[in-house]
Amino acid sequence: RVAWQDWYTTVDREFHALQKQCKTVFVAGLSMGGTLALRIAEKHPDDVAGLVLVNPATQLPWNAHFAPLLRHFIPALKAAVGSDIAKPGVEEHTYDVTPLNATNELLKLCTNVNAALDLVICPVLLYRSAVDHVLPPSSVQTVLRQISSEDISERVLARSWHVATMDYEKEELFAGSIDFFGKHAGSS
């Protein structure tokens, strides 16, 4: 019952709340969270000190493009999208199904974000999993090709899958993010 604009409004509200409390604000996100982080950077180019993106969703798999039609006939697919994690025994808490209205809204969000990626000018640290069973490689390629930032670092995660923040290289990812924040905190 919510649209992508509702997701963005929530993130934007929290971004502004952080601005009231902090001199410098960075934005980070995994998958759809990365898409929303990109949207914040597009809308507030002078206020985002930097972005940390982990497998951002800007392009969805080919079968997601059936959601606008299928959602009129079935509410959800029985296959869930979560837990794409290489490390045994680690599970992401997700829905048991993939709601097609939400998938449709994510497609709309991607379209809107992709249309304005050139407005992203802040430093970017982008983590990309070498193996990602959720998003196609074109998702990261779109970001790297279209953003206008002059400071872009891409790091490939060789052992972690889509949910890299819970996978083998999570400590490297977190430590690299903290270093990135420290490097760019004084330049904003």
Side-chain angles (χ1 to χ4, degrees):
R1 288 183 267 183
V2 298
W4 72 265
Q5 294 91 337
D6 299 311
W7 304 335
Y8 174 73
T9 298
T10 300
V11 173
D12 190 58
R13 182 178 59 240
E14 296 305 316
F15 174 74
H16 288 296
L18 279 173
Q19 280 187 301
K20 291 177 183 173
Q21 298 175 24
C22 306
K23 178 181 169 188
T24 304
V25 179
F26 292 88
V27 184
L30 161 70
S31 196
M32 184 181 86
T35 315
L36 291 164
L38 285 162
R39 184 71 171 180
I40 290 288
E42 291 171 352
K43 292 293 187 179
H44 307 287
D46 296 327
D47 298 325
V48 175
L51 286 175
V52 175
L53 305 171
V54 183
N55 297 318
T58 62
Q59 304 290 321
L60 301 185
W62 65 271
N63 55 352
H65 295 272
F66 291 107
L69 176 63
L70 286 177
R71 69 190 178 96
H72 297 292
F73 303 102
I74 55 175
L77 297 178
K78 291 185 181 179
V81 176
S83 286
D84 189 38
I85 302 169
K87 189 173 184 179
V90 179
E91 260 188 67
E92 177 186 28
H93 298 285
T94 64
Y95 292 112
D96 295 334
V97 297
T98 301
L100 293 178
N101 276 333
T103 303
N104 185 52
E105 291 302 316
L106 180 53
L107 282 167
K108 292 177 188 178
L109 172 63
C110 291
T111 299
N112 279 273
V113 167
N114 291 345
L117 280 171
D118 62 312
L119 299 177
V120 176
I121 59 172
C122 64
V124 174
L125 173 57
L126 191 148
Y127 286 96
R128 171 181 63 85
S129 296
V131 175
D132 186 335
H133 301 101
V134 175
L135 297 175
S138 60
S139 195
V140 167
Q141 294 163 0
T142 297
V143 174
L144 294 174
R145 187 177 56 249
Q146 291 183 227
I147 61 175
S148 297
S149 175
E150 294 180 9
D151 185 347
I152 304 168
S153 298
E154 177 188 14
R155 298 194 186 159
V156 178
L157 302 169
R159 298 179 58 219
S160 300
W161 293 350
H162 184 71
V163 188
T165 55
M166 297 176 71
D167 217 328
Y168 285 112
E169 294 154 297
K170 68 181 182 183
E171 298 303 326
E172 174 188 324
L173 189 154
F174 296 140
S177 298
I178 290 169
D179 289 344
F180 175 81
F181 299 148
K183 176 182 174 187
H184 296 286
S187 61
S188 60

